[in-house]
Amino acid sequence: MDFPRALRERRTRRRVSQLDLALRAGTTQRHLSFIESGRSVPGRNMVVRLAESLELPLRERNELLLAAGYAPAYPESSLDDPALAPVRTAIDHILRGHLPYPALVLDRGGRLIAANSAFDLITEGAAPELVGPGRNMYRLALHPDGLAPRILNLAEWARHILVRLGHLAELHAELTGYVPEPEPAAGPLGFAVPLHLRSSYGELRLMTTVTTFATAVDVTLAELKLEAFLPADAATAEALAAAAAASPAES
């Protein structure tokens, strides 16, 4: 990777001027200009400061360091690593604590790491090859054999999924082919766009929240996303409670 070009592209993508980035990183615009033109070779600490100042994800910070000829600063551990045992415990606790509402944890590519038992109501009827740990949940959501036939606002909901996939070009292209053209909104948008889903317990209207490990310094941990579903109306809350009561208790 060409470091000057890589830095310039990331700065431009975030719409940060050379002057702003220089001020954030504690250097001069002249020095930054020399770095971006290849006339000056930055030290390791400068590369780290520039990456932090651009608020790059940890993976991209490592990529910049490698491009500049330095070793990565941030480890990338396996979730099976004993050092991440407290993380796995925390994830299990959060997933159980969110019951009777569905929740799941995804990696950077949208692959399922873990989910609570309430998520079964979301995936009911989907093809088995699309469901389970390691499967891509973005594909599950929009594939014709996944949730798509049960999503009543598919075009609207799909937009919220597709905007997450800028770093996954092939998956974005695949899923775009499954999505119908959105129709103009007929009325007020309300306070949030819900997932409007048919289920064996009636129609569900669900909002989502996404939680990340904000202070993570491990690439794997920083890229995990915990997505929690919340009822957008009383009928959905009652349906989720009924489904949980009818399911075996999660041990």
Side-chain angles (χ1 to χ4, degrees), residues 31-45:
H31 186 206
L32 180 58
S33 176
F34 279 21
I35 291 173
E36 288 194 352
S37 66
R39 295 171 64 187
S40 179
V41 178
R44 189 173 191 274
N45 287 341

Side-chain angles (χ1 to χ4, degrees), residues 116-139:
N116 65 13
S117 58
F119 190 60
D120 292 344
L121 185 62
I122 303 294
T123 63
E124 64 180 5
E129 63 269 18
L130 296 175
V131 181
R135 304 300 185 186
N136 191 284
M137 294 297 99
Y138 300 137
R139 181 176 288 110

Side-chain angles (χ1 to χ4, degrees), residues 116-209:
N116 65 13
S117 58
F119 190 60
D120 292 344
L121 185 62
I122 303 294
T123 63
E124 64 180 5
E129 63 269 18
L130 296 175
V131 181
R135 304 300 185 186
N136 191 284
M137 294 297 99
Y138 300 137
R139 181 176 288 110
L140 169 69
L142 301 185
H143 196 283
D145 295 329
L147 307 188
R150 296 168 47 225
I151 299 178
L152 300 176
N153 59 336
L154 178 59
E156 186 179 38
W157 183 254
R159 287 202 302 272
H160 294 276
I161 292 179
L162 292 174
V163 296
R164 303 183 189 184
L165 305 182
H167 62 295
L168 301 169
E170 290 186 12
L171 183 62
H172 186 282
E174 175 195 339
L175 300 190
T176 299
Y178 301 145
V179 180
E181 287 293 326
E183 297 180 1
L189 293 177
F191 61 87
V193 176
L195 169 61
H196 195 179
L197 185 71
R198 280 192 296 264
S199 81
S200 56
Y201 283 81
E203 292 183 4
L204 307 176
R205 296 177 66 85
L206 297 158
M207 302 178 294
T208 63
T209 64

